[in-house]
Amino acid sequence: YNTRPALRKGETIPCPNGDCILFEKRLGDEQVLVAANVRPDAIRPALPESWQGRTVTDLMTGERLTLEPTLALDAYAYRIFQ
């Protein structure tokens, strides 16, 4: 995931969410969504509408999945999608 230009050099677009750190990185046509749970409990934050229903790749695992309106995050977990 650290080879992605959008993650290293892209514009950061915050996605306000009181439950977690959630932001998008963009560079040209490349878009990456980062979600991080900094709390000691599991949470299920709402994702930005533009990402809901989108088929993405989890950049940590390589898994392909379609994002739901919310994302399950274990305590102190993070996910990076493209």
Side-chain angles (χ1 to χ4, degrees):
Y1 68 91
N2 61 356
T3 62
R4 304 284 190 230
L7 282 174
R8 292 184 287 114
K9 300 177 184 177
E11 174 188 8
T12 301
I13 297 98
C15 305
N17 188 304
D19 290 328
C20 69
I21 298 170
L22 188 63
F23 61 92
E24 187 175 339
K25 296 284 284 187
R26 290 185 197 163
L27 184 63
D29 291 337
E30 186 178 32
Q31 297 177 321
V32 177
L33 182 68
V34 178
N37 181 4
V38 296
R39 298 178 187 259
D41 300 309
I43 60 172
R44 196 165 185 90
L47 295 179
E49 285 186 28
S50 62
W51 286 84
Q52 295 176 16
R54 188 185 290 195
T55 299
V56 297
T57 300
D58 182 321
L59 295 181
M60 300 302 293
T61 66
E63 175 188 9
R64 296 278 296 162
L65 65 146
T66 300
L67 294 176
E68 298 179 9
T70 61
L71 176 67
L73 284 173
D74 291 332
Y76 304 113
Y78 66 95
R79 307 281 299 269
I80 304 172
F81 300 109
Q82 182 175 33

